[in-house]
Amino acid sequence: MSRKNQPNVAVALRADGVWFLSLNRDKKKADFKACNSTQDWIVAIKDLFGKNGVHAKDRVCAVLDVSLTSSIQLPQNETLTDEELHGIAMYKDLEGAVAGKIGDYTWDFYQAFTSKTSHPMLNFVLAEKRLIALISDVINSIAILDSISISTLAMADFISFYQYETVKKKDASIPLQYVEQLALLLYMEKGKDLTVYGVYNGELCYTRVMRNYRGLEGNVLLGNETGLLEQLDMDLLRLCDDFFTARLGLPPVTKMIILMDTDQVETISQTLAENRRYVEVIPSSKHLFKNSKPSFAVCDDKTVCELCDIGVQYLPLYGVLKGGSLKSAQE
């Protein structure tokens, strides 16, 4: 079952810019507008929508960067309705998660991924009402605001859809569905920290910014960062053994996706693939592989690779737009 009127436009909103992606009958448009602050979003969105032909009937998903939100995980109170979980009944529990007045914030929540023996938990995500109002007003003045998500969940959408597409290549008869496999994604933008995501059966079960690995942009080939690569390898092993297996009770990782904007992506991938047969790289033409027969798999999805060439920031937006079909299939 597919949901009618799915979004065909997505925008990623950060304090330093707005990323735009539209998909119409497999035709894509990707664009970017730099910003100095969130107040520049109004001009940026209007400019991007006008330049790329967004119309009044287009449905838009806005993706808010997690740096512009606050979050807290709380035990699920099954005595409260969804309406109460969105209202003043949560003021006391949530006020410690924000620096300002809780009345200046709005929030939503989603089910946290926990082990089968753990008490159910909810992840609450809070954003300033003024930001949500700004997003809603400017998008609805041009098109239709379908939904607002956050960057971590958008990345989970991309990983889930990528998993499905990978499985479908092996068996075209598989219906549209989430894949009951554990996938990791190592994500790094130029000049940014490394972030690791874990997704199982369509659910985000892990996300962490690993702040000690910016050196992976350095000259790994000369051996200056050999210790850093070894440390990353060990950290990933511990993550799989201690967290996914021991704490969550999940099966072994079946895919480790490398999406990193660094000249050293081949060396990094080669190192991680030495003891793993499930490493797969989403390549960019900016970072050419010297080895014609690498020990890791290389993504051959044309659209994904083309978007990676434009910028790794567009892949979560692609996930939001394509992942909606997966969500609909589960309903």
Side-chain angles (χ1 to χ4, degrees):
M1 179 176 67
S2 62
R3 180 165 61 102
K4 295 181 179 180
N5 300 321
Q6 291 184 6
N8 61 308
V9 176
V11 287
L13 301 164
R14 303 185 190 177
D16 61 346
V18 177
W19 284 259
F20 169 96
L21 180 66
S22 68
L23 298 176
N24 290 294
R25 297 187 179 89
D26 295 326
K27 292 182 179 180
K28 61 184 182 300
K29 293 181 180 179
D31 208 345
F32 169 74
K33 187 79 173 179
C35 298
N36 292 316
S37 72
T38 57
Q39 290 302 311
D40 293 339
W41 288 352
I42 298 174
V43 173
I45 291 172
K46 288 183 176 180
D47 183 60
L48 288 168
F49 281 19
K51 181 180 175 182
N52 292 284
V54 175
H55 302 293
K57 292 184 179 180
D58 287 324
R59 304 186 73 87
V60 182
C61 177
V63 178
L64 192 62
D65 192 72
V66 289
S67 65
L68 298 171
T69 68
S70 300
S71 61
I72 185 172
Q73 188 174 98
L74 296 171
Q76 183 173 344
N77 187 341
E78 297 179 356
T79 65
L80 297 180
T81 64
D82 280 4
E83 183 178 357
E84 289 171 323
L85 289 170
H86 283 101
I88 59 174
M90 295 302 299
Y91 271 25
K92 185 176 181 180
D93 291 315
L94 297 178
E95 61 185 1
V98 297
K101 296 179 180 179
I102 190 64
D104 294 334
Y105 288 79
T106 185
W107 58 86
D108 205 347
F109 59 87
Y110 61 96
Q111 197 79 39
F113 194 99
T114 57
S115 68
K116 295 180 180 179
T117 58
S118 299
H119 184 84
M121 304 289 286
L122 295 177
N123 288 323
F124 286 83
V125 181
L126 301 91
E128 291 181 82
K129 289 180 179 178
R130 65 172 186 86
L131 285 183
I132 302 303
L134 185 156
I135 295 168
S136 178
D137 289 345
V138 66
I139 292 179
N140 282 324
S141 70
I142 303 169
I144 300 169
L145 178 61
D146 182 90
S147 58
I148 299 177
S149 185
I150 55 174
S151 53
T152 50
L153 294 181
M155 187 62 84
D157 285 336
F158 169 70
I159 298 169
S160 297
F161 187 74
Y162 192 83
Q163 282 181 288
Y164 167 71
E165 288 292 295
T166 301
V167 172
K168 185 182 176 184
K169 289 176 185 177
K170 298 178 181 178
D171 183 357
S173 66
I174 291 177
L176 187 64
Q177 62 185 14
Y178 288 126
V179 179
E180 289 191 49
Q181 296 176 354
L182 176 60
L184 297 186
L185 185 140
L186 277 61
Y187 178 79
M188 189 166 74
E189 299 177 16
K190 182 71 71 175
K192 301 288 186 179
D193 289 308
L194 172 69
T195 304
V196 178
Y197 298 86
V199 169
Y200 178 77
N201 195 28
E203 292 187 68
L204 179 69
C205 54
Y206 183 85
T207 177
R208 179 187 170 194
V209 178
M210 304 179 77
R211 304 190 184 280
N212 298 324
Y213 289 103
R214 284 200 186 182
L216 293 177
E217 283 191 300
N219 200 340
V220 181
L221 294 178
L222 293 180
N224 298 340
E225 301 298 344
T226 300
L228 197 59
L229 277 174
E230 291 176 350
Q231 184 61 49
L232 176 61
D233 191 35
M234 291 301 298
D235 282 347
L236 292 173
L237 284 172
R238 281 193 291 267
L239 171 62
C240 293
D241 293 342
D242 298 344
F243 184 76
F244 292 122
T245 302
R247 187 181 300 184
L248 295 183
L250 291 175
V253 174
T254 58
K255 186 177 289 295
M256 180 182 289
I257 307 164
I258 311 296
L259 181 57
M260 302 173 70
D261 188 0
T262 167
D263 292 335
Q264 309 307 332
V265 65
E266 182 178 11
T267 302
I268 295 166
S269 304
Q270 199 79 29
T271 300
L272 296 178
E274 286 180 1
N275 299 311
R276 303 173 178 87
R277 295 182 179 180
Y278 47 78
V279 173
E280 182 165 327
V281 178
I282 299 177
S284 167
S285 61
K286 295 180 291 184
H287 312 304
L288 299 178
F289 296 154
K290 294 180 174 60
N291 188 343
S292 60
K293 295 182 179 180
S295 60
F296 48 83
V298 179
C299 173
D300 60 0
D301 186 300
K302 181 181 177 182
T303 301
V304 170
C305 291
E306 287 176 350
L307 287 174
C308 185
D309 270 354
I310 302 170
V312 295
Q313 298 91 339
Y314 293 98
L315 273 303
L317 295 181
Y318 183 67
V320 165
L321 295 178
K322 302 298 287 188
S325 57
L326 279 172
K327 292 177 182 177
S328 297
Q330 303 301 115
E331 295 174 353

